[in-house]
Amino acid sequence: MKRLTAFALIFVFFVMAAASGQIAPELRQKMDQAGDSDYLPVIVAYKDHFDVAQIARAYNVRGDEEAMKAQLIDILKSKADESHHWLKQYSEQRSAEVKGFKSFWIANMVALQATPAALEEIARQPEVEEIFLDEEQVFIDYKPGVPTRDAWGLEKIGSKEVNKTYTGKGILVAVIDTGVNYNHDDLKGRVIKGKDCINN
């Protein structure tokens, strides 16, 4: 009987350890501080990572570029629907604990808001790789007129000297970035065209 109890305790420990390993430390800290009915904004990342090139080969995607792109998108959306099916159903059935379900088919992730207990349940699902906080990250807190942390680096590369010689007039620059603040003092009124994928 003692052996059985010990085995049960070890089993419970490993199940709990496996679940807690899927919750990012920052989120775990917030969960510990949150009330039972508090909602925490999170991203649920899945283990099944989509390799577009591999999908194209596996499904033999061929044809003109636009048709190929449309077919790949359909495949990715279909795969995401399969991956996110349980969580979508769970969020519909447990609307008091989970809200704001949003599927991101291109990255195989889901954004939502959930209570700590619901997050524990989601973390126990074998297809979930990690759950982490969905919150704005400020890496450089820029304030006009206040020297920033990057000032030292700009001085070292001689940017002030370059600015005396080159104005940038007549130069067109293309930027692909995870975030460009087009209202920044250096860019305001100078961004010709862009696509904001977050706010469409």
Side-chain angles (χ1 to χ4, degrees):
M1 184 68 179
K2 284 181 181 177
R3 283 183 183 176
L4 188 61
T5 306
F7 175 77
L9 287 171
I10 290 167
F11 177 77
V12 168
F13 170 78
F14 277 111
V15 167
M16 288 177 69
S20 64
Q22 293 168 336
I23 294 174
E26 297 81 7
L27 175 57
R28 174 62 67 193
Q29 190 177 1
K30 294 267 187 184
M31 287 168 67
D32 292 343
Q33 296 165 354
D36 291 345
S37 57
D38 289 344
Y39 290 98
L40 296 168
V42 299
I43 299 288
V44 179
Y46 286 79
K47 289 176 182 172
D48 190 5
H49 300 287
F50 299 156
D51 182 334
V52 174
Q54 191 178 16
I55 290 168
R57 285 193 300 273
Y59 288 85
N60 197 21
V61 177
R62 299 191 191 285
D64 67 84
E65 193 175 329
E66 286 305 309
M68 199 165 78
K69 189 164 53 173
Q71 193 175 352
L72 277 172
I73 288 170
D74 285 344
I75 292 166
L76 288 170
K77 284 182 176 178
S78 176
K79 280 182 158 289
D81 284 344
E82 288 172 28
S83 294
H84 307 166
H85 177 72
W86 178 87
L87 187 50
K88 187 176 182 184
Q89 269 196 329
Y90 181 80
S91 65
E92 288 167 357
Q93 292 165 359
R94 307 284 282 273
S95 56
E97 298 171 62
V98 184
K99 62 181 184 178
F101 177 96
K102 187 172 183 182
S103 172
F104 292 96
W105 52 266
I106 200 161
N108 200 17
M109 293 180 174
V110 168
L112 52 80
Q113 297 164 51
T115 62
L119 290 173
E120 295 284 7
E121 178 68 23
I122 294 165
R124 281 193 284 271
Q125 302 314 305
E127 66 272 16
V128 172
E129 182 172 58
E130 186 182 14
I131 307 175
F132 52 91
L133 273 172
D134 182 12
E135 61 181 2
E136 184 177 347
Q137 301 292 327
V138 178
F139 297 103
I140 297 176
D141 190 11
Y142 175 79
K143 294 180 181 71
V146 178
T148 59
R149 290 182 298 174
D150 58 349
W152 177 87
L154 293 172
E155 285 171 17
K156 285 291 179 190
I157 63 170
S159 67
K160 286 182 181 176
E161 297 305 312
V162 171
N163 288 337
K164 287 177 188 174
T165 312
Y166 299 101
T167 64
K169 187 175 180 180
I171 302 296
L172 185 66
V173 178
V175 178
I176 299 174
D177 202 294
T178 52
V180 173
N181 180 5
Y182 46 84
N183 291 315
H184 188 288
D185 286 355
D186 291 339
L187 297 176
K188 197 182 287 184
R190 297 171 74 179
V191 176
I192 298 168
K193 189 178 180 184
K195 170 69 175 172
D196 184 339
C197 297
I198 302 298
N199 301 306
N200 198 29

